[in-house]
Amino acid sequence: MSLDDNLGPIINDAHFFKPLFEGLSGKLTYGHLNCQSIRPSRFNNKIDELRSLLVGSGISIFGVTESWLNSAVSSKSLVVPGYKLVRSDRVGRVGGGVCLYIGSGIPYKVVFRSNNFGVCESVCVELNIGALVLLVAVVYLPHGDVQSFCDVHESLFDRFSNIIVLGDFNCNLFVSSNSVSMRGLCRSLGLTIVHNMKPTHYDLAHNSTSLIDFCLTSDNLSLGFSSQGRCPGISHHAFVFGSLNLPVFSEERFIEYRNFGRADCLGILNFISDFDFNPLYSTSDVNCQLSLFDLLFNALLSFVPVSVRKVNPRNDAWLESDVVKSARMFRDLAYFEWRKRPMEGNRKIYCMYRNRCKAVMRNERRKYYNDFFGRMNNNQLWKSLKSFGVLGSDNEAPPIDVNAANHYFSSGNPGFVGERGQSLYSEGHVGDDVFRFYCIFYSDVVRSLNKVKSGAVGVDGVPVKFFKLIFPYISCHFLHFVNSIFMTSTFPRAWKVARIVPVPKTGE
């Protein structure tokens, strides 16, 4: 077999899969690649190339072996739009590790993670595909110990009738003894080996190839097709992919948001006019007063319709730029030439174009995001952060007792906040070294609201634009509430909780 095309054609991006998966809509498609590290760093942009391969490819599940991840690497840096990530990192040693990307519309449950690091590393997930339950496992055997794979997973596999295993087994099926051993083990587990009768790994040191990356499926599963290709910018292993004749109904992702442009203003005014504000004046407890406003705001939000917008997963624009496409093309051509004629000079040329491609991608990404965030106002910036998933939808409890923290800082200099219960309506200052609050008026609030340009929403879910809309109709009640805060020297507990998202300045 010639060495120039034995691992398959070069896969540049997700467009490669479109003609192959045409007509397979609604079928389960899979892929696997030993990525030899997807850990993001200044000099490693493999996760960016992986995104360009997966987003829009139509692959339902994708397994990664040799992820090289650890607890210091956040899953947020590994996000692929349209997929959910399940990890099993190697502990205590560098390298290894496996992970699985699952299409966002497929329900799943993690059922097993192997802790036999350095021998048999795996993560196993249960997928619910309609009435069918499918076990998906991603396996990495660093030393090709297939017996350990059997020992670790035999009891688990006995519980499932539909199984697919994606992995790097480091068991070269081109060696007769290995092939016999692996096939005998698969028969005992009720599994079938699926491969393309082509090498899946190129050994640089020995200039040789081997078949060590393949799939195992349970005997009752019907295989659609199987193929492979190569990704020079990511790995010397083959990208193995295929399909199973299983129906998959991918859920399209939608987000809901309040459409304030279509708010029922007449309904809002009528509700405010009928609302009972008497409890506000019958208590001096600002927390009780704030709870009354919470009831009011939650009721008023019902007059603001909820709109739905479809979210289409997409790659960042910089990945589609001409300069990045050109750099990747020259790198792939140099790789093809080196593999066709494995001489030292060709290897150096490939390394030069590979490093140049990394630098181009790094610079284009930096330029894109500097320009992207640099031309936004605050409102656009927060919307972008939400679309990137930086702002979570769940309100997490604060990690500290906010009331205790408030007491600690306020008790350190009691003269600063004034004495508890002291009236704010006295004229003038008692002394130059004493700080006092004074009651506020309608004009003070209007002036402050006009200065607020941000569209950020707090943990209560009430945006500033909505408060500006109803303030003229609740101004006297709100002023009484704010002045009560000053008069009692008590800050409401609910206002001591905030969601903080650090945003780097442009160029940093």
Side-chain angles (χ1 to χ4, degrees), residues 14-231:
H15 298 290
F16 174 88
F17 299 100
K18 288 185 177 180
L20 298 174
F21 289 163
E22 188 176 3
L24 294 177
S25 178
K27 299 294 184 181
L28 181 79
T29 53
Y30 64 86
H32 164 259
L33 179 62
N34 181 323
C35 290
Q36 298 174 312
S37 178
I38 57 170
R39 178 171 180 157
S41 70
R42 182 180 178 184
F43 301 104
N44 186 352
N45 50 17
K46 290 184 180 181
I47 186 63
D48 294 320
E49 298 222 27
L50 196 61
R51 291 189 185 105
S52 71
L53 293 177
L54 293 182
V55 176
S57 66
I59 293 177
S60 308
I61 52 175
F62 178 74
V64 174
T65 50
E66 285 205 76
S67 59
W68 288 37
L69 303 177
N70 56 35
S71 58
V73 181
S74 169
S75 293
K76 289 186 177 181
S77 64
L78 305 168
V79 169
V80 174
Y83 291 86
K84 294 168 289 190
L85 174 64
V86 178
R87 295 165 50 173
S88 181
D89 304 338
R90 179 183 288 183
V91 178
R93 294 172 57 188
V94 178
V98 297
C99 61
L100 177 66
Y101 284 95
I102 306 168
S104 57
I106 304 176
Y108 74 95
K109 179 176 67 176
V110 180
V111 294
F112 179 76
R113 285 186 173 94
S114 172
N115 57 4
N116 197 0
F117 303 115
V119 179
C120 178
E121 305 176 23
S122 69
V123 60
C124 302
V125 174
E126 176 187 304
L127 302 186
N128 295 301
I129 306 174
L132 184 141
V133 176
L134 175 68
L135 179 69
V136 179
V138 182
V139 176
Y140 175 54
L141 304 179
H143 306 293
D145 188 352
V146 295
Q147 187 59 49
S148 68
F149 163 72
C150 180
D151 296 340
V152 169
H153 299 92
E154 185 174 11
S155 60
L156 176 66
F157 288 173
D158 287 341
R159 293 160 40 195
F160 294 86
S161 57
N162 302 295
I163 303 170
I164 179 171
V165 183
L166 312 170
D168 176 1
F169 296 86
N170 274 303
C171 177
N172 187 4
L173 297 185
F174 287 155
V175 178
S176 298
S177 58
N178 290 344
S179 178
V180 170
S181 174
M182 190 68 195
R183 293 181 189 281
L185 181 144
C186 288
R187 279 194 297 270
S188 67
L189 296 175
L191 301 176
T192 301
I193 301 176
V194 177
H195 62 79
N196 304 296
M197 296 181 290
K198 293 181 179 180
T200 60
H201 177 242
Y202 175 58
D203 188 343
L204 295 174
H206 302 92
N207 192 29
S208 61
T209 56
S210 56
L211 201 171
I212 58 177
D213 304 271
F214 44 87
C215 305
L216 308 177
T217 64
S218 51
D219 295 335
N220 59 313
L221 286 180
S222 174
L223 182 69
F225 83 100
S226 176
S227 187
Q228 67 184 60
R230 48 186 170 176
C231 308

